Amino acid sequence: MAKNPAGRPARAPRRTSGLSRDLIIRTAIGILDEGGESALTIRALTIRLSTGYGALYHHVADRNDLLTGATDEIITGVLSGTATETDTEPRAALRALALGLFDAVEAHPWVGRELSREPWRPALLDFYEAVGRLLDALAVPDDALFDAAGTFMSFVLGAGAQSAANASHLAATTTDRDTFLGATAGRWTDLDPSKYPFVRATVTRLRAHDDREQFLAGVDIFLRGVAGDA
């Protein structure tokens, strides 16, 4: 580390432009994407932004505030990037919302874990509101709207959390997805066919399945049911 004339370590140059909460949150998202939740610390942010603790705490309360703000920013991005207006076909809009959140969690696995830790954050309420409006536009009966919206949210958030957990597991074991699925399929093949006939029958599909396509298939099953399709 470079030293000043007095022999003390030189300080990193301080930011001369103004900080904002938006800049801090976007920087936090970058750190989270690079290193996961453990990489996000107040110190890491001060270094990345070339600022001091006092300036940072003027805009954010603590690390939990950072995680909440970063997660809300990702969810808000999903909503703003998805057409949910009343003149949009509601089934297509619901499908796009679900896929948008799934893709966001896949791109930012920490979001899935944060949604499990604190599900009903402000941005997710906006997501829930959009789902409710679209289900209403799909002519779901009033007495079924609450249950339908809850089921949809549970499926989407549950799939997102599972996707994040899978990504964390694979990252921790340094095993790629194809190898993991191949090993699992091998274990399933060795199961007793009289006890697990269905599980054994799905081995081929397990090896080749795509998580995103399977998620969309689940969304479509829900939409067909809730819309009363034959």
Side-chain angles (χ1 to χ4, degrees), residues 130-171:
V131 167
R133 288 199 308 267
L134 290 166
L135 287 171
D136 186 44
L138 201 58
V140 174
D142 289 345
D143 60 357
L145 266 176
F146 176 75
D147 289 337
T151 300
F152 184 85
M153 293 293 291
S154 294
F155 175 71
V156 172
L157 294 177
Q162 185 61 55
S163 177
N166 290 342
S168 294
H169 173 74
L170 292 178

Side-chain angles (χ1 to χ4, degrees), residues 224 227-230:
R224 285 197 299 271
D229 294 357

Side-chain angles (χ1 to χ4, degrees), residues 25-37 67 69-79 99-116 121 156-157 159-168 171:
I25 294 300
R26 285 189 283 110
T27 304
I29 289 172
I31 293 174
L32 287 163
D33 286 346
E34 292 168 13
E37 295 95 322
L67 286 166
T71 304
D72 282 354
E73 180 70 16
I74 298 299
I75 298 171
T76 299
V78 172
L79 284 167
L99 186 58
L101 190 56
F102 184 86
D103 286 345
V105 171
E106 188 169 59
H108 313 278
W110 51 271
V111 170
R113 291 184 287 272
E114 275 302 296
L115 291 178
S116 297
R121 58 192 65 243
V156 172
L157 294 177
Q162 185 61 55
S163 177
N166 290 342
S168 294

Side-chain angles (χ1 to χ4, degrees), residues 30-63:
I31 293 174
L32 287 163
D33 286 346
E34 292 168 13
E37 295 95 322
S38 62
L40 180 62
T41 64
I42 299 297
R43 176 173 172 75
L45 266 177
T46 62
I47 294 172
R48 185 71 63 93
L49 291 167
S50 299
T51 191
Y53 288 90
L56 208 62
Y57 282 124
H58 181 72
H59 298 280
V60 295
D62 51 28
R63 184 174 180 276

Side-chain angles (χ1 to χ4, degrees), residues 3 185 206 227:
K3 295 186 177 182
L206 174 68

